[in-house]
Amino acid sequence: HWGHFITNRGVAIDPFDAKHLMLTTQGDIYETRDGGESWKPIINKVLPSVPGDKAPRYKSIGLEITSCWEYYFDPFNPEYHYAAYSDIGFVRSTDRGKSWSWSAFGSPWKNTYYQLAIDPDIKGRIYAAVSSKHDIPHDMALSPTRPKKSLGGVVVSTNAGRSWKTPYDRKGLGALPGRVCT
C-alpha cells in the first residue's frame, strides 16, 4: 500500500546490486533487497501489531517529515500518548510513546489533526479539530489562488482515540450525549 504520490524521480537502483532499490514518495522512503518482491519502510521500524488493533505499530527512527502540532498525555491512562500531525493525521501510543499506530479511523477528514481536547470528566472521550487541508495556519495554505475544496470539522472519539466520528450531522453542531451545549 503506497500512501503518497510517487514521483518519476523517486526510484534509485544500487549500481552494485540491481536487486537493491529505494523508493521515495511525498512522505515515505521504502527499500527492497529482492528486486521488488518485498518492501520495507526505512523511515521507521515496523513492530508487531497489538491484538484487536486495526493498524500496525511503528517505532520512530527520528525521520518524520511533517509537522506535529501537539503532543498529548492522557490524564486517565499514563500509558496513552497522542500526537496531532499534518499529513499523517492522528497517531496514538499505548506504551508511553515507544511505538505508534495511525488512528484516524472513521474521521471524514484524515489529513491533519490540528488540536485535541481531552474530556476531563469522561474517560476515553477526545474531541479533535481536523481537516483535509494541511498547514492551514501558514499563509501558503490560505492563499486565495488555491482551490477552496478542502473541508474540515470536529470529530469525537469515545474510545481513547482508537476511532472517530462526527458528533453532528455536518449541518451544525448540536448537543452531544452526556453534554449540554449552551
Side-chain angles (χ1 to χ4, degrees), residues 113-135:
Y113 275 57
Y114 285 101
Q115 196 163 29
L116 305 182
I118 299 172
D119 193 313
D121 300 322
I122 302 173
K123 182 178 180 178
R125 181 172 283 173
I126 305 170
Y127 301 92
V130 300
S131 179
S132 58
K133 180 74 161 174
H134 72 268
D135 297 343

Side-chain angles (χ1 to χ4, degrees), residues 127-165:
Y127 301 92
V130 300
S131 179
S132 58
K133 180 74 161 174
H134 72 268
D135 297 343
I136 286 176
H138 300 295
D139 184 48
M140 65 182 248
L142 297 176
S143 171
T145 61
R146 296 190 183 263
K148 306 239 188 280
K149 63 182 176 181
S150 298
L151 301 172
V154 174
V155 292
V156 64
S157 173
T158 56
N159 55 12
R162 182 174 270 179
S163 63
W164 299 86
K165 62 182 177 180

Side-chain angles (χ1 to χ4, degrees), residues 4-114:
H4 297 281
F5 179 71
I6 300 171
T7 67
N8 61 351
R9 297 178 192 244
V11 177
I13 301 171
D14 185 333
F16 303 104
D17 180 0
K19 290 188 174 211
H20 183 206
L21 292 86
M22 294 179 79
L23 172 76
T24 62
T25 70
Q26 290 178 323
D28 299 303
I29 303 171
Y30 297 93
E31 178 181 48
T32 182
R33 292 191 175 268
D34 58 14
E37 292 295 320
S38 64
W39 294 86
K40 69 176 185 171
I42 58 174
I43 64 167
N44 50 42
K45 181 179 177 185
V46 180
L47 301 175
S49 60
V50 173
D53 269 354
K54 295 179 184 178
R57 295 181 315 138
Y58 299 93
K59 181 176 182 179
S60 173
I61 62 167
L63 191 60
E64 284 76 21
I65 52 172
T66 189
S67 304
C68 182
W69 295 101
E70 298 285 342
Y71 189 100
Y72 300 88
F73 302 92
D74 191 310
F76 294 100
N77 187 339
E79 297 291 317
Y80 286 22
H81 294 193
Y82 311 110
Y85 276 100
S86 284
D87 301 322
I88 296 172
F90 179 74
V91 296
R92 68 193 286 269
S93 173
T94 57
D95 58 8
R96 295 184 185 248
K98 293 179 189 143
S99 66
W100 295 88
S101 294
W102 180 85
S103 196
F105 301 104
S107 173
W109 312 287
K110 295 173 176 61
N111 181 277
T112 300
Y113 275 57
Y114 285 101

